Amino acid sequence: MTGEKCTLCCEGRLEAKRGREYFRHGQSLVIIEDVPAWVCNKCGERYHLASVYKKMRQIAADGDRLTERMTI
């Protein structure tokens, strides 16, 4: 996907990166570090492979195994 056009802004190009993702699960917001994504170099839109999204959903659902928890 590197170099493909962004489908949101239609101007930027996608670059492979890793970073922090905020994933909402029910009433909780789970922050997951070091997630691979394709990121637009113009608008910052992030795209994930289906397998990555499924893994993030699984991590969020396994809330009892999280390393840190914060209540606001």
Side-chain angles (χ1 to χ4, degrees):
M1 281 183 86
T2 298
E4 287 189 32
K5 272 191 166 184
C6 175
T7 58
L8 183 66
C9 72
C10 299
E11 295 178 19
R13 298 286 177 181
L14 301 183
E15 300 175 354
K17 295 189 177 185
R18 295 181 86 83
R20 178 180 296 149
E21 293 295 336
Y22 300 89
F23 194 91
R24 185 159 296 282
H25 180 75
Q27 296 283 332
S28 300
L29 178 67
V30 178
I31 302 169
I32 306 170
E33 299 287 346
D34 200 33
V35 177
W38 297 99
V39 182
C40 176
N41 64 3
K42 182 85 170 173
C43 71
E45 181 68 11
R46 304 177 71 79
Y47 300 88
H48 299 97
L49 296 175
S51 59
V52 173
Y53 182 82
K54 287 177 185 177
K55 184 65 176 176
M56 287 192 297
R57 188 173 60 202
Q58 179 185 8
I59 289 169
D62 292 340
D64 56 329
R65 294 178 35 201
L66 298 177
T67 58
E68 286 185 47
R69 189 177 301 267
M70 181 186 328
T71 304
I72 299 176

